[in-house]
Amino acid sequence: MIQSKPVYYFDNNATTRVAPEVVDSMVPFLRELWGNPSSAYGFGAQVHGHLEKARAQVASLIHAEPKEVVFTSCGTESNNSAFSSALSLNPTKKHIVTTAVEHSANINFGEHLQKRGFDVTFLPVESDGQLDLHQLEKSIRPDTALVSVMMANNETGVLFPIAEIAALCRSRGVLSHTDAVQVPGKLKLDVRELGVDFLSLSAHKLHAPKGVGMLYVKRRTRYQPYVIGGHQERGRRGGTESVANIVAFGRAADLAQASLHDENTRVRALRDRLENFILTRIPNTVRNGHRDHRLPNTVNIAFDFVEAEAVLLLLDQLGICASSGSACTTGSLDPSHVLMAMGLPPMRARGSVRFSLGIYNTDADVDFLCRHLPPIIQKLRDISPLNPGHPDNDQYDIAKARADHEREQAAEKALEAISA
Ligand SMILES: Cc1ncc(COP(=O)(O)O)c(C=O)c1O
């Protein structure tokens, strides 16, 4: 056992614990059934059978047909593949519509496409994280190849009306994709009801291992592979399938359907208890994101007058895991692009922390966090020059302090850029 200290895990949107049942399901494919599923002999065919069983399990999670499931290496690859296919099969179409609050898998790929001569519209969002559908409709052009809007935001949990967006796209003859990586196990997923052409999932967000994802490609939607190689995945994704991981994904898909109720009752209640505690017991706190149109497990809170990184450091000393944004952008000095797109002042975005709960969280976990969070915030505010209650700050002008601080940060960034 590598990890011996207890961990209070509130970062389930970053990744999830692999369920013990899922670990058990994959072991035979590491020990005994290690053949290549594409091999013609019986030993390979046997493995192939399990691969197809997992495909059916994952298809059932999203109410798709098994043939519509293409296994990939991760959610990022699935998203990149949908963009790439839509553009390469429609060479006269050079435009993609997405949002400013997507995961970096889309934001950075969109910027990469812009550098290669494509046009990408990053739609803004409202202050509660929601999208203006009229603006989305207006942004669709005759040369739009794809509209890609995430189903649930990984930082705030805010949900987007994907069925409405897909219907709009259909009426305009445009392909639609949704990054639903944060949704399985938390909310029902039905591709027939959603009506999208493409949908991405990632196994490690639903209690399966990292290294496997899925792209749903709707029947009769033309598809150009992104990873080109062998004829695996019916010619839609080259590379020998990661069988143990895929089997695990299938088992986790079954478990996710079974845990839907728990996520929407017990986990939701734990999240609400934590959120109510913070907002009522810790002054100068604000929830980021719409209160109702949100995943049941996610809460994102701005703690004024503190830096989230300092809060996370002190929480970490107690074994409490949370985050200040996407795990993929941790380490960046910039405030969260999601919170900035929602119009938060940079200081408030820098003081925002995401707690994302899951099926393994207990009442005792939330009690532990509620016991330790207020003194941590207090301790940091006591030494924060941004705090109007700071003893040295009787005449403290918070607006000026913020402006000064932001100017300093901008100067530091400019210096870094020059010396880079
Ligand atoms: C919304 C969303 N999309 C895509 C990804 C990327 O998934 P993966 O880590 O499997 O590449 C993540 C991971 O955090 C995510 O939260």
Side-chain angles (χ1 to χ4, degrees), residues 262-279:
D262 188 44
E263 282 273 3
N264 281 286
T265 52
R266 195 187 62 84
V267 176
R268 184 189 288 274
L270 284 179
R271 189 276 309 265
D272 289 347
R273 179 156 81 82
L274 174 63
E275 176 169 309
N276 290 338
F277 175 87
I278 296 173
L279 294 177

Side-chain angles (χ1 to χ4, degrees), residues 358-411:
I359 51 169
Y360 293 113
N361 282 119
T362 61
D363 266 308
D365 293 343
V366 173
D367 290 343
F368 188 77
L369 178 55
C370 290
R371 188 157 73 246
H372 292 287
L373 191 56
I376 285 176
I377 300 295
Q378 188 58 48
K379 181 173 167 175
L380 292 171
R381 284 181 176 166
D382 285 347
I383 55 167
S384 167
L386 299 172
N387 181 5
H390 189 282
D392 298 339
N393 291 331
D394 286 347
Q395 302 300 318
Y396 199 73
D397 180 347
I398 183 69
K400 181 174 175 307
R402 278 189 175 151
D404 288 348
H405 185 70
E406 274 155 24
R407 242 192 324 277
E408 278 165 28
Q409 298 257 334

Side-chain angles (χ1 to χ4, degrees), residues 50-226:
H50 290 279
L51 181 67
E52 291 314 308
K53 179 181 168 207
R55 194 184 308 280
Q57 287 168 310
V58 173
S60 157
L61 174 69
I62 60 171
H63 296 85
E65 289 171 25
K67 278 183 188 167
E68 295 172 312
V69 167
V70 180
F71 287 118
T72 64
S73 66
C74 59
T76 301
E77 184 192 320
S78 303
N79 287 0
N80 289 187
S81 306
F83 277 44
S84 169
S85 176
L87 287 172
S88 57
L89 288 176
N90 297 285
T92 56
K93 297 193 172 188
K94 300 275 183 209
H95 178 230
I96 282 192
V97 177
T98 186
T99 79
V101 295
E102 299 295 310
H103 186 268
S104 50
N106 276 10
I107 300 283
N108 291 344
F109 197 65
E111 288 173 356
H112 164 78
L113 290 172
Q114 283 175 327
K115 286 186 201 129
R116 296 184 54 209
F118 295 97
D119 216 353
V120 182
T121 301
F122 294 100
L123 291 169
V125 292
E126 317 268 339
S127 60
D128 61 4
Q130 294 192 297
L131 205 55
D132 176 351
L133 289 194
H134 296 297
Q135 201 165 3
L136 186 148
E137 188 169 8
K138 277 194 283 175
S139 70
I140 297 177
R141 313 188 314 210
D143 68 338
T144 304
L146 180 77
V147 172
S148 174
V149 175
M150 67 196 329
M151 193 162 172
N153 185 270
N154 45 303
E155 294 192 27
T156 58
V158 168
L159 301 171
F160 295 95
I162 300 305
E164 251 180 280
I165 294 170
L168 183 64
C169 291
R170 267 196 312 282
S171 73
R172 302 284 295 272
V174 176
L175 293 168
S176 60
H177 165 252
T178 188
D179 172 348
V181 161
Q182 290 295 340
V183 180
K186 299 170 191 163
L187 296 174
K188 186 181 138 198
L189 260 174
D190 185 331
V191 288
R192 300 281 169 250
E193 282 174 13
L194 293 175
V196 287
D197 294 288
F198 304 109
L199 176 145
S200 305
L201 294 185
S202 175
H204 74 99
K205 309 288 183 178
L206 60 138
H207 304 287
K210 294 147 197 65
V212 58
M214 182 230 61
L215 181 68
Y216 157 80
V217 181
K218 189 177 172 180
R219 197 156 51 109
R220 287 199 276 271
T221 296
R222 286 162 64 230
Y223 182 69
Q224 164 74 36
Y226 181 62

Side-chain angles (χ1 to χ4, degrees), residues 238-318:
T240 303
E241 288 95 343
S242 178
V243 177
N245 275 348
I246 290 174
V247 166
F249 193 2
R251 181 78 180 102
D254 281 352
L255 294 175
Q257 300 205 62
S259 66
L260 253 186
H261 180 70
D262 188 44
E263 282 273 3
N264 281 286
T265 52
R266 195 187 62 84
V267 176
R268 184 189 288 274
L270 284 179
R271 189 276 309 265
D272 289 347
R273 179 156 81 82
L274 174 63
E275 176 169 309
N276 290 338
F277 175 87
I278 296 173
L279 294 177
T280 56
R281 303 287 282 277
I282 306 181
N284 298 305
T285 50
V286 186
R287 177 189 42 251
N288 296 319
H290 196 280
R291 196 190 69 166
D292 303 320
H293 296 142
R294 211 171 21 140
L295 290 172
N297 76 318
T298 308
V299 52
N300 190 311
I301 301 275
F303 296 90
D304 278 348
F305 321 128
V306 297
E307 292 274 353
E309 295 312 315
V311 178
L312 297 175
L313 214 70
L314 295 185
L315 288 174
D316 185 31
Q317 288 174 6
L318 297 164

